[in-house]
């Protein structure tokens, strides 16, 4: 009640609204102390009446001498409005008592006593009474012409609001009582811990929240409410006809945010040379055939679940502006966000390519453009070696290397000319690099897992700042969109809408499930829950990390019971039943740590079937339905490079090095989509002796001095050449990452166009300099600190800079080449595994 601003009625507590005894002077003083300020406006009084296990809302309007009751009796069908026999529920006595509490000088009996009744189920009377009371407080008494047409909140949402209010108010009341009176008496240790740590920590509260959230997604009344909740409730017109002095006109105006539509900004004109490269021609292919049924039965639950209109959510304009009065009435918790949004799977959800064998794979790996215009050398430009020598000679590292000024001109820095640097002047022609072929990563998307050897099932909550697949890995799956309200109303259980959309794996909530191996050669299996896919209501970005309560609920209700069903009798004594047992065994407090349970190949298959059976038979677990798996391995290039010296292909080395995986099963595209990263490295010699020769386009005066014996070399990509190669292969516009500030040197990456991707089975390509490994720190991140730390000049900035420089100094004697990585399907790599080196 305190969160509702601009109230149209005064809410009287249960103690005053149901007291049949005549009030004494002490009660009148207490009543005036609590409600005296609001009573000055002569607003109607509303309260909830309790009579023989039934609740209904009552309004006393002493100013207009009206009495209204809402929901006291039941109806068979429609809502009716009739004259109420208020003596049955002691209405005259309550009218007299409340008139004395309000200190009305000459209380008169009401002129009209009206009852509004609707169809009820005998269970939700308290929720309906609460919803009606809330509507009366926010909007006032409805006019007579629409008295029976007031739309109320669904009981599910009312219970959710009440529970969220209690979860917020109980700890706050406990802290207030503790600060003023000490510890409250009569509470158990468990109750005190719940008040201190938060009510959400109780397992019973978590179960109730999740149950209400799942019931909302299946309730048709809640669906209608989700479409209208974006509009704040407006008061009804004034009954006296004077709308100029109404409270709704006097309330302050709320600042509205600016339009979210981005303004169109004209892009700067950048000169680009005209490209004459034409992409390769690919024959026509047969598109993917998607079957909704298998063997006469549905692959997934296509009839139940929320509709497309239920996923509209709350606008940012309301949710992110706390000054908005309506924003305070919107409760959001983990279970209101992580719910069933209606997405389902089709049998071919994982298929990225056509069903036919890949076409022209070798021609699309590293195509060499026929016409490439290499950049010419700039007159007066310095090579990198000569630039370093100039900075060292004049002791002007800051002026030369940072500001790019000529230190030999004047004292004022603004008067000095800018230096021009051409790194290609240091290029050494005629070097034959060492070529290496390897497989760097493996991604397998499948509906069900299958292994040859035992794997470790991870049991425990994972606490991380980001999801296992936090950024796009250029692998998508096709999800069946929720049904529309029109399709549900017209066709019912016979679904007619089969619209699928592509979604990246990094946008779907997922968590760790199993692991095979350790270290750099480990394969991790993640379980994905597409039904919970949604975007944050604050920033509209996809949420992929699963909160701890949702993980805990899945482990307790699905994973642990399924493990107990499939575990061998000899291992039953070593399998814990709850997360509390795991925490106790590990001697830790709080949530249980991550633990693994080894299961063999047959138990893994039985485990997945048991999980599906538990979810299918329980509506409270429906958010975990339609799950699928992704097996991921990264950084395994050294395990497969050139067959690890055995003269075999990297694909054969992959089979031999990781025998736990059933590669024949994974290669079969009826079971899932397998993608492999083919890595091609170009490595310079370790100790290269620079011959006494000059560049053909430069003179001996402008040529840098020869390198000493054993000098390390670094390879750099020419962007013009790379872009022509990408265009010839039919990739999208590549993303360019320049090497330092050089305009013509850098790294590129791009995805294959959709139509060509389905035909060639090639997804993604990237070309980069291996020298990036020097400063790489964790998941392709640099080792420097955050920008705000650098702006403040903190110690961490100086330490990280020193570490960065030290890493570069240690790598000065190493040679770094170039690398190409092409992500392609397993069938595509298998077709060119013997001919890659000949390309």
């Amino acid at each position: 009640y305190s969160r509702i601003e601009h109230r149209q009625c005064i809410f009287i507590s249960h103690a005053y609204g149901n007291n049949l005894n005549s009030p004494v002077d002490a009660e009148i003083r207490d009543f005036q102390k609590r409600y005296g300020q609001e009573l000055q406006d002569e607003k109607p009084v509303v309260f909830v009446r309790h009579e023989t296990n039934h609740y209904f809302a009552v309004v006393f309007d002493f100013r207009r001498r009206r009495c209204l009751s809402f929901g006291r009796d039941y109806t068979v069908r429609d809502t009716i409005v009739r004259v109420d026999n208020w003596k049955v529920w002691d209405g005259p006595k309550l009218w007299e008592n409340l008139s004395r509490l309000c200190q009305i000088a000459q209380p008169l009996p009401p002129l009209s006593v009206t009852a509004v009744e609707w169809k009820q189920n005998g269970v939700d009377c308290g929720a309906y009474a609460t919803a009606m009371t809330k509507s009366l407080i926010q909007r006032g008494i409805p006019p007579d012409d629409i008295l029976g047409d007031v739309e109320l909140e669904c009981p599910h949402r009312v219970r959710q609001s009440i529970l969220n209010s209690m979860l917020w108010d109980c700890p706050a009341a406990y802290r207030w009582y503790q600060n003023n009176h000490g510890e409250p008496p009569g509470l158990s240790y468990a109750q005190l811990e719940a008040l201190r740590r938060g009510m959400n920590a109780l397992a019973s509260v978590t179960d109730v929240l999740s149950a209400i959230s799942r019931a909302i997604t299946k309730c048709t009344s809640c669906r209608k409410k989700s479409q209208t909740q974006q509009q704040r409730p407006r008061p009804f017109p004034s009954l006296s006809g004077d709308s100029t002095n109404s409270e709704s006109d006097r309330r302050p105006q709320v600042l509205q945010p600016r339009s979210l539509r981005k303004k169109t900004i004209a892009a700067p004109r950048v000169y680009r040379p005209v490209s004459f490269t034409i992409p390769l021609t690919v024959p026509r292919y047969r598109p993917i055939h998607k079957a909704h049924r298998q063997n006469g039965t549905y692959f997934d639950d296509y009839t139940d679940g929320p509709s497309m209109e239920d996923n509209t959510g709350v606008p940012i304009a309301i949710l992110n502006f706390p000054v908005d009065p309506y924003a305070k009435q919107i409760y959001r918790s983990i279970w209101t966000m992580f719910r069933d949004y209606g997405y389902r799977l089709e049998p071919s959800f994982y298929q990225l390519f056509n069903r036919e064998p890949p076409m022209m794979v070798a021609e699309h790996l590293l195509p060499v453009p026929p016409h490439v215009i290499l950049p010419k050398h700039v007159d007066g430009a310095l090579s990198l070696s000569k630039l370093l020598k100039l900075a060292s000679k004049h002791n002007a590292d800051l002026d030369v290397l940072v500001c790019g000024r000529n230190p030999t001109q004047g004292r004022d820095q603004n008067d000095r000319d800018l230096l021009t640097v051409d790194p290609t002047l240091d290029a050494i022609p005629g070097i034959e690099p060492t070529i290496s072929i390897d497989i760097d990563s493996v991604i397998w998307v499948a509906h069900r897992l299958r292994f040859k050897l035992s794997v470790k099932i991870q049991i425990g909550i994972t606490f991380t700042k980001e999801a296992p697949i936090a950024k796009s890995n250029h692998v998508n799956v096709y999800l069946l969109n929720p049904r529309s309200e029109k399709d549900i109303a017209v066709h019912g259980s016979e679904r007619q809408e089969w619209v699928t959309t592509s979604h990246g794996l990094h946008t779907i909530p997922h968590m760790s499930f199993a692991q095979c191996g350790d270290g750099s050669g480990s394969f991790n299996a993640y379980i994905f829950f597409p039904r919970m896919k949604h975007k944050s209501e604050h920033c509209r970005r996809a949420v992929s990390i699963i909160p701890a309560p949702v993980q805990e609920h899945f482990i307790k209700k699905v994973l642990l019971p399924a493990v107990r069903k499939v575990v061998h009798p000899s291992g039953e004594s070593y399998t814990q039943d709850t997360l509390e047992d795991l925490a106790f065994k590990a001697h830790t407090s709080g949530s249980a740590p991550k633990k693994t349970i080894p299961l063999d190949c047959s138990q893994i298959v039985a485990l997945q079937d048991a999980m599906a059976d538990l979810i299918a038979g329980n509506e409270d677990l429906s958010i975990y339905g339609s799950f699928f798996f992704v097996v991921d391995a990264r950084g395994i290039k050294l395990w497969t490079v050139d067959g690890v010296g055995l003269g075999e292909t990297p694909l054969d080395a992959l089979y031999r090095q990781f025998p736990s995986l059933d590669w024949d099963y994974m290669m079969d595209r009826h079971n899932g989509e397998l993608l492999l990263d083919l890595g091609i490295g170009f490595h310079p010699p370790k100790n290269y002796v620079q011959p006494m020769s000059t560049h053909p386009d430069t003179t001996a005066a402008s040529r840098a001095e020869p390198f000493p014996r054993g000098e390390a070399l670094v390879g750099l990509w020419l962007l013009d050449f790379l872009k022509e190669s990408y265009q010839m292969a039919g990739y999208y516009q590549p993303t360019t990452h320049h090497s330092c500030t050089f305009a013509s040197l850098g790294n590129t990456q791009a995805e294959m166009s959709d139509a060509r991707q389905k035909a060639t089975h090639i997804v993604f390509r990237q070309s980069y300099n291996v020298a990036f490994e020097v400063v790489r720190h964790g998941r392709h991140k640099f080792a420097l600190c955050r920008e705000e730390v650098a702006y403040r000049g903190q110690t961490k900035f100086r330490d990280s800079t020193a570490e960065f420089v030290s890493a570069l100094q240690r790598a000065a004697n190493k040679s770094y080449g170039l690398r190409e990585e092409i992500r392609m399907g397993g069938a595509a790599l298998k077709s060119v595994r013997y001919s890659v080196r000949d390309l």
Side-chain angles (χ1 to χ4, degrees):
Y1 178 69
S2 60
R3 295 188 179 95
I4 302 178
E5 298 183 3
H6 314 298
R7 296 181 281 270
Q8 307 300 315
C9 294
I10 305 173
F11 175 72
I12 304 300
S13 65
H14 181 81
Y16 297 108
N18 292 269
N19 188 9
L20 299 178
N21 300 323
S22 299
V24 297
D25 294 340
E27 293 178 343
I28 295 176
R29 288 193 300 270
D30 181 69
F31 185 88
Q32 289 293 327
K33 183 178 180 181
R34 297 180 60 180
Y35 306 105
Q37 185 175 1
E38 292 184 291
L39 291 173
Q40 295 178 1
D41 297 333
E42 297 183 354
K43 297 179 180 179
V45 175
V46 59
F47 60 93
V48 176
R49 177 71 171 130
H50 181 213
E51 182 187 33
T52 60
N53 296 329
H54 181 64
Y55 296 89
F56 58 95
V58 179
V59 181
F60 287 166
D61 191 350
F62 296 105
R63 180 183 176 184
R64 299 177 180 86
R65 296 173 62 185
R66 297 185 62 189
C67 172
L68 297 96
S69 64
F70 297 88
R72 190 182 69 84
D73 288 334
Y74 302 167
T75 61
V76 180
R77 292 183 180 178
D78 300 331
T79 301
I80 61 174
V81 180
R82 61 176 180 82
V83 179
D84 188 15
N85 183 13
W86 68 331
K87 295 182 180 180
V88 178
W89 49 274
D90 297 320
K93 184 62 176 178
L94 294 175
W95 178 278
E96 179 183 355
N97 292 345
L98 287 177
S99 62
R100 291 188 58 188
L101 290 174
C102 295
Q103 292 185 346
I104 298 177
Q106 296 179 354
L108 299 175
L111 298 177
S112 63
V113 180
T114 307
V116 181
E117 300 169 356
W118 56 82
K119 183 179 179 180
Q120 300 189 42
N121 55 13
V123 179
D124 296 328
C125 59
Y128 280 122
T130 303
M132 190 69 225
T133 304
K134 182 179 177 181
S135 176
L136 291 169
I137 295 172
Q138 289 180 331
R139 309 186 65 184
I141 300 176
D144 294 338
D145 55 343
I146 60 171
L147 193 59
D149 299 331
V150 179
E151 184 179 358
L152 299 179
E153 281 188 296
C154 181
H156 298 117
R157 293 191 177 274
V158 174
R159 291 188 174 92
Q160 187 183 58
S161 300
I162 294 174
L163 184 56
N164 280 285
S165 299
M166 293 178 59
L167 295 179
W168 177 267
D169 294 337
C170 286
Y174 166 74
R175 290 191 294 269
W176 178 89
Y177 190 92
Q178 186 183 35
N179 295 332
N180 293 274
H181 306 285
E183 292 292 340
L187 297 180
S188 63
Y189 176 77
Q191 293 172 342
L192 289 175
E193 284 295 315
L195 291 173
R196 292 168 184 169
R197 300 173 52 189
M199 304 290 288
N200 289 320
L202 296 176
S204 57
V205 174
T206 302
D207 295 340
V208 173
L209 278 173
S210 60
I212 293 177
S213 177
R214 288 185 289 271
I216 288 176
T217 60
K218 297 180 178 295
C219 179
T220 56
S221 299
C222 293
R223 292 176 182 173
K224 296 179 181 178
K225 178 60 184 177
S226 65
Q227 300 174 24
T228 59
Q229 68 177 353
Q230 301 181 12
Q231 302 177 358
R232 73 187 66 179
R234 296 182 178 180
F236 292 111
S238 176
L239 297 178
S240 62
D242 183 10
S243 60
T244 58
N245 298 325
S246 62
E247 183 70 20
S248 61
D249 293 331
R250 296 197 305 267
R251 60 184 177 182
Q253 296 293 328
V254 179
L255 295 178
Q256 297 294 335
R258 294 182 179 180
S259 175
L260 300 179
R261 183 176 55 186
K262 297 181 179 179
K263 296 182 179 180
T264 303
I265 302 178
R269 295 185 177 181
V270 180
Y271 170 76
R272 290 184 177 276
V274 180
S275 176
F276 299 97
T277 303
I278 301 176
L280 299 172
T281 303
V282 179
R284 297 185 63 181
Y285 61 92
R286 183 164 55 94
I288 298 176
H289 173 68
K290 296 185 177 181
H292 305 300
R293 296 173 179 264
Q294 283 188 346
N295 300 326
T297 60
Y298 277 123
F299 181 79
D300 201 354
D301 183 10
Y302 299 129
T303 57
D304 295 335
S307 64
M308 186 185 306
E309 289 78 4
D310 298 337
N311 300 333
T312 54
V314 181
I316 300 179
I318 293 179
L319 192 65
N320 286 356
F321 280 78
V323 297
D324 193 327
Y326 185 53
K328 299 180 180 181
Q329 307 303 318
I330 301 175
Y331 298 99
R332 282 293 177 266
S333 65
I334 291 175
W335 297 107
T336 60
M337 300 303 300
F338 285 83
R339 56 181 176 85
D340 186 1
Y341 286 84
Y343 292 100
R344 297 296 185 264
L345 296 181
E346 290 187 310
S348 56
F349 73 96
Y350 52 80
Q351 291 185 359
L352 295 178
F353 319 118
N354 63 327
R355 291 181 176 271
E356 296 179 353
M359 306 177 182
M360 302 177 64
V361 180
E363 291 80 356
H364 286 80
L365 286 183
L366 299 177
V368 179
H371 306 286
V372 178
I373 302 175
L374 298 179
K376 296 182 180 180
H377 299 291
V378 181
D379 296 335
L382 299 177
S383 64
L384 288 177
S385 57
K386 197 167 184 178
L387 182 71
L388 294 175
K389 183 178 179 180
L390 178 64
S392 176
K393 179 180 179 181
H394 296 276
N395 194 18
D397 294 344
L398 182 62
D399 292 341
V400 176
L401 302 180
V402 178
C403 300
R405 299 285 183 174
N406 192 342
T408 62
Q409 298 176 349
R411 295 184 178 180
D412 190 359
Q413 189 183 68
N414 296 328
D415 297 336
R416 301 173 181 175
D417 296 335
L418 293 175
L419 297 174
T420 304
V421 181
D422 187 0
T424 59
L425 293 176
D426 286 327
I428 304 175
I431 295 181
E432 292 294 334
T434 302
I435 299 177
S436 63
I437 311 295
D438 60 76
I439 295 176
D440 183 60
S441 64
V442 177
I443 301 175
W444 183 47
V445 184
H447 186 244
R448 291 295 182 263
L449 295 177
R450 182 171 174 179
F451 298 92
K452 283 187 175 181
L453 302 178
S454 299
V455 296
K456 298 178 293 185
I457 302 298
Q458 296 183 1
I459 299 179
I461 303 174
T462 303
F463 297 93
T464 56
K465 294 183 179 180
E466 56 184 18
I469 302 179
K471 56 183 297 186
S472 175
N473 59 357
H474 312 284
V475 179
N476 300 335
V477 293
Y478 290 90
L479 301 182
L480 183 64
N481 290 343
R483 303 173 66 185
S484 64
E485 289 285 355
K486 181 179 179 180
D487 185 62
I488 296 176
V490 175
H491 303 287
S493 60
E494 295 295 331
R495 180 167 187 158
Q496 300 297 324
E497 294 179 347
W498 302 94
V499 181
T500 58
T501 52
S502 178
H503 302 269
L505 293 179
H506 67 290
T507 64
I508 304 175
H510 59 281
M511 57 183 289
S512 299
F513 180 77
Q515 185 178 10
C516 177
D518 296 304
S520 62
S522 63
F523 280 73
N524 299 293
Y526 308 112
I527 182 170
F528 285 70
F529 304 107
R531 294 189 181 183
M532 292 190 286
K533 183 189 181 308
H534 66 281
K535 293 183 179 180
S536 174
E537 294 190 343
H538 296 278
C539 60
R540 299 306 185 193
R541 292 184 179 179
V543 180
S544 58
I545 185 171
I546 301 180
V550 183
Q551 295 186 46
E552 182 179 1
H553 188 254
F554 171 75
I555 295 172
K556 285 183 176 181
K557 301 296 183 179
V558 180
L559 186 57
L560 284 177
V563 169
R564 289 195 297 268
K565 286 185 178 181
V566 303
V567 72
H568 194 268
S570 61
E572 185 175 359
S573 302
Y574 304 97
T575 304
Q576 282 70 35
D577 296 337
T578 61
L579 290 177
E580 289 76 11
D581 293 339
L582 293 176
F584 175 75
K585 294 292 184 181
H587 298 284
T588 59
S589 60
S591 299
K594 185 183 297 185
K595 183 182 178 180
T596 59
I597 297 177
L599 297 179
D600 58 29
C601 55
S602 60
Q603 291 175 334
I604 289 294
V605 177
L607 175 67
Q608 299 170 78
D609 295 337
M611 290 167 52
D613 294 339
L614 289 172
I615 295 173
N618 193 340
E619 293 185 358
D620 293 339
L621 304 176
S622 61
I623 60 175
Y624 305 110
S626 307
F627 63 87
F628 65 93
F629 299 91
V630 173
V631 178
D632 179 35
R634 310 175 192 177
I636 59 174
K637 60 176 69 70
L638 297 182
W639 293 76
T640 60
V641 56
D642 290 332
V644 199
L646 299 180
E648 56 186 1
T649 64
L651 190 60
D652 296 332
L654 182 69
Y655 296 165
R656 179 176 53 83
Q657 293 282 7
F658 305 101
S660 299
L661 284 80
D662 193 343
W663 293 106
D664 295 335
Y665 182 85
M666 296 168 62
M667 278 288 183
D668 189 353
R669 298 190 60 227
H670 292 88
N671 304 321
E673 198 71 80
L674 177 64
L675 294 104
L676 305 171
D677 278 5
L678 175 64
I680 305 175
F682 305 92
H683 310 282
K686 294 183 178 180
N687 297 316
Y688 178 75
V689 179
Q690 167 66 25
M692 297 298 294
S693 62
T694 60
H695 195 276
D697 295 338
T698 60
T699 61
S702 62
R703 177 64 178 155
E705 295 183 1
F707 294 104
R709 180 176 296 275
E711 183 71 21
L713 302 180
V714 176
L716 296 172
W717 283 113
L718 291 173
L719 291 179
D720 292 340
F721 180 84
L722 281 180
K723 291 179 180 180
E724 294 292 336
S725 177
Y726 275 64
Q727 183 174 348
M728 185 176 180
Y731 287 91
Y732 287 123
Q733 180 69 26
T735 302
T736 303
H737 304 276
H738 292 272
S739 297
C740 298
T741 57
F742 301 126
S744 60
L745 303 176
N747 313 316
T748 56
Q749 60 180 10
E751 291 186 355
M752 181 73 76
S753 57
D754 294 339
R756 195 175 294 264
Q757 179 184 129
K758 292 178 173 60
T760 62
H761 294 203
I762 297 177
V763 178
F764 175 74
R765 175 186 173 187
Q766 61 178 347
S767 311
Y768 63 93
N769 181 5
V770 185
F772 172 66
E773 293 290 335
V774 179
V775 295
R776 179 181 175 182
H777 185 265
R779 296 192 173 185
H780 304 282
K781 296 180 180 179
F782 289 105
L784 284 176
C785 61
R786 298 190 304 272
E787 293 181 356
E788 57 267 23
V789 178
Y791 294 152
R792 297 170 185 172
Q794 297 178 359
T795 306
K796 186 176 181 181
F797 166 67
R798 295 190 293 269
D799 295 342
S800 61
T801 305
E803 294 177 358
F804 198 88
V805 173
S806 179
L808 293 175
Q809 291 176 347
R810 291 192 300 269
N813 297 324
K814 292 184 179 180
S815 294
Y816 294 93
L818 304 172
R819 185 169 175 83
E820 288 270 6
E821 289 184 2
I822 302 98
R823 181 159 297 175
M824 61 179 66
L829 180 57
K830 190 174 182 179
S831 64
V832 297
R833 58 177 173 174
Y834 297 110
S835 58
V836 173
R837 189 176 294 275
D838 299 333
L839 298 178

